[in-house]
Amino acid sequence: MMKIKYLTISLTILLVFLLGCQNTKDEMIEAELDKVRTSWDIQSFEISGNVPDSLKNVLKSGEFLFKECKYSRKTRKTNTRRCTGDFFFNGEFFGGDYEYNSDTKNYIIAIYIKNQFPDPPKKPTPSQLKIIALMSGEWSLSVVDKKMTAVQIKNSTLPDVKVGFVATEK
C-alpha cells in the first residue's frame, strides 16, 4: 500500500514538472514572437552566394508587418507557431506565413502572391517570382533597440543563395 502511495506522489510530481516545462517553452516562444510582431521598414538588403545576374538587383525596397498568431490546441503542442504577415517588396504586395521553431531558434518565412482582388486571379510576374524565391526560407532574426538584423540560414528554392537585411521598427 505504501509503495502505491509513493508511486502516485512521484508520478504527480513528474506530471507537474513536465507541465511546468511546457509552460516555460510556450512563454519562451511567445517572447520570441513578441520581439518581431510589429511593422518593419527594410533599410538595406544583401545577397550572397552563387547569385545569378538576374537576381542581383531584384530587391530594392521592402517593408513588412508580422501579425498576431492564431493557434489551435494541436499547433500549441508542437514546437512551432504559424503566423501571418503582410509584405511589400519594391512596392508590390505579398502575403506570407512565418513561424518560430524553438528547436532551431530560427524563423521560417514563406512569401506568396496575395491578390487583393482575386477575381480573376493575376498571373505572377517574373519579378514577383524572383522576390518569392529570394525571400522564402529559414531565417535568424535578431532584434535589438527597434532594429532587426536578418540572416537567411537556408533559402527554400535557391540553395546556393542567401539573403540578409537590416530593418527598423516603424
Side-chain angles (χ1 to χ4, degrees):
M1 191 64 133
M2 248 347 189
K3 288 183 181 181
I4 293 174
K5 185 176 180 180
Y6 287 124
L7 181 61
T8 304
I9 291 171
S10 297
L11 288 174
T12 303
I13 291 170
L14 180 62
L15 184 61
V16 168
F17 174 75
L18 290 175
L19 290 174
C21 287
Q22 185 61 39
N23 287 340
T24 302
K25 190 175 218 174
D26 284 344
E27 289 169 5
M28 187 272 303
I29 291 171
E30 284 302 312
E32 288 299 318
L33 290 170
D34 284 344
K35 290 178 189 176
V36 300
R37 269 190 278 222
T38 191
S39 295
W40 298 92
D41 187 26
I42 297 176
Q43 304 301 307
S44 62
F45 291 98
E46 184 178 321
I47 303 174
S48 62
N50 189 11
V51 185
D53 288 341
S54 63
L55 297 177
K56 286 186 178 173
N57 294 311
V58 170
L59 295 168
K60 296 176 180 32
S61 66
E63 59 185 88
F64 56 95
L65 166 65
F66 282 142
K67 295 181 181 179
E68 293 291 321
C69 306
K70 296 179 181 170
Y71 316 124
S72 67
R73 285 187 181 150
K74 183 178 179 182
T75 59
R76 192 171 277 285
K77 291 179 183 175
T78 67
N79 290 336
T80 61
R81 304 289 189 264
R82 183 157 293 238
C83 313
T84 61
D86 292 331
F87 298 82
F88 296 87
F89 296 105
N90 304 344
E92 296 189 66
F93 181 58
F94 294 83
D97 294 328
Y98 70 100
E99 63 186 60
Y100 179 76
N101 186 306
S102 63
D103 291 336
T104 63
K105 300 199 179 346
N106 290 324
Y107 291 80
I108 307 297
I109 300 176
I111 307 293
Y112 52 82
I113 302 296
K114 186 172 182 179
N115 292 322
Q116 291 176 313
F117 304 102
D119 190 22
K122 292 190 239 176
K123 183 178 178 183
T125 66
S127 174
Q128 289 172 324
L129 293 174
K130 290 174 185 176
I131 289 169
I132 291 169
L134 285 168
M135 296 304 293
S136 295
E138 183 175 351
W139 292 82
S140 169
L141 303 180
S142 172
V143 178
V144 177
D145 295 330
K146 300 186 179 207
K147 181 178 177 182
M148 177 187 287
T149 303
V151 177
Q152 195 173 52
I153 306 300
K154 181 180 177 187
N155 186 292
S156 295
T157 54
L158 304 165
D160 295 333
V161 175
K162 303 284 186 283
V163 178
F165 63 84
V166 175
T168 54
E169 187 175 337
K170 288 174 97 179

